[in-house]
Amino acid sequence: MIRVGLAGIGFMGWIHYLGYQRASGVELVAVSEPNEKRLHGDWRDIKGNFGPPGEIVDLSRVAKYADYRDMLADPNVDVVDCCLPPAMHAQAAIAASQAGKHVFCEKPMALTTGDCREMVQAASNAEKQLFIGHVLPFFPEYAHAIQLIRSGQYGKLLGGTFKRVISDPAWMTDFWDPNRCGGPLIDLHVHDAHLIRLLFGMPSSLSSVGRLRGEVVEYCNTTFHFTDPSLVVSAVSGVINQQGRAFTHGFEIHLEKATMHYEFAGFSDKGELMPLKILTADGQVVRPEIGGGDPSEAFVDEIAEVVKCIEAKEPSPTLSGDLARDAIILCHKQTESVKAGGVVKI
Ligand SMILES: NC(=O)c1ccc[n+]([C@@H]2O[C@H](COP(=O)([O-])OP(=O)(O)OC[C@H]3O[C@@H](n4cnc5c(N)ncnc54)[C@H](O)[C@@H]3O)[C@@H](O)[C@H]2O)c1
């Protein structure tokens, strides 16, 4: 049984907690959180944009610490699950590695590429694993697309376009601060940057055109360039000012013998889904049965991947620190390209 200590009981701490209740081979043994009410199990003030609202949780059999740093000395904790605000990730993950723990850290890995590199190094020095919670590949539409690409059933991967656009999250006070949250690319587009890196490898250069808000990119279109010049990969990312569409994400992925299409948009009156479709060369529209509907399911699968890799003593091909570091590198290169104009080498 792998024993987890949860650092930070906010929205993600709650979603991970729900995941631990359903995943096998793993047990929550400790929590850390400075908010007294939450530390003692009253999670009713936790709200997010998916999953159930927070509840009263029984923490009577779980060790409690007011600060994650105090939890690091707990010998019962094998894995520190870092659900802290983004600016705390690097410091917490490095300290947890140095304390001899495996680390499972929410995205974004860290705000700077230097911090990401230090996190990878600290885990490697400690001979412990580092997982970054890039959950997107575990969402059913994305998981199905990845599995079809890898199966080779529809031939070579030719490219794709990836979209992730939200309305201005005015309730997030730190969102636009490069030193606290990182803005739309680091906080949001990082999911697609990670997916692009996972599917196509590391681009050799990129070119982004966009609008800035202060130091960070508000909205941009990016073309990613690879050593294989036949790969055509792009992304649309960022924030629009209108509140009518809170969130949209999706993709169109091109293979030699099929195109895969998916999009979901949360409009202020209702959500609208364009379910995953596979358009084949002979004119068929295949609509795979993939289940889903509850995004918190993906977190159960993500935790299962962490458990599997710790038990196998193998790094995760999906959640590794190396991939997540590369995603942060891409986001910063995109910002550089928007500011400088033109192609930026990676
Ligand atoms: N994967 C996803 O889909 C997804 C969705 C939302 C958020 N996130 C990421 O999850 C992370 C956390 O986001 P959130 O929305 O849960 O934030 P949050 O602010 O709701 O929760 C963070 C919690 O950490 C606690 N904390 C602060 N200092 C602490 C300390 N020293 N020791 C222990 N706890 C401490 C805070 O009190 C707070 O309760 C962020 O990196 C965010 O980007 C990921």
Side-chain angles (χ1 to χ4, degrees), residues 7-13 32-35 38 49-50 65-69 82-86 88-89 106-108 133 135 139 187 191 299:
I9 305 171
F11 172 44
M12 267 305 111
S32 50
E33 165 62 49
N35 178 311
R38 290 185 185 176
N49 47 6
F50 59 82
Y65 301 92
D67 191 295
Y68 79 83
R69 281 165 282 223
C82 174
C83 287
L84 298 164
M88 295 176 76
H89 289 183
E106 256 304 333
K107 57 56 61 180
V135 73
F139 276 60
D187 187 68
H191 287 291
F299 290 85

Side-chain angles (χ1 to χ4, degrees), residues 89-105:
H89 289 183
Q91 194 186 25
I94 292 167
S97 296
Q98 287 170 346
K101 312 295 186 189
H102 299 291
V103 174
F104 172 32
C105 176

Side-chain angles (χ1 to χ4, degrees), residues 176-254:
W176 298 98
D177 185 339
N179 301 314
R180 296 186 72 82
C181 188
L185 293 188
I186 297 288
D187 187 68
L188 190 76
H189 164 73
V190 73
H191 287 291
D192 289 322
H194 176 264
L195 184 68
I196 287 167
R197 169 67 182 83
L198 182 71
L199 293 179
F200 302 98
M202 193 61 163
S204 50
S205 63
L206 59 77
S207 164
S208 296
V209 177
R211 293 188 285 273
L212 289 169
R213 191 185 295 195
E215 279 299 297
V216 300
V217 172
E218 180 180 78
Y219 182 93
C220 71
N221 288 350
T222 303
T223 306
F224 298 88
H225 314 136
F226 295 84
T227 42
D228 174 356
S230 71
L231 278 177
V232 182
V233 181
S234 62
V236 181
S237 336
V239 163
I240 54 162
N241 287 320
Q242 290 68 32
Q243 291 293 325
R245 187 185 61 190
F247 173 78
T248 188
H249 76 171
F251 58 74
E252 182 165 307
I253 297 175
H254 303 135

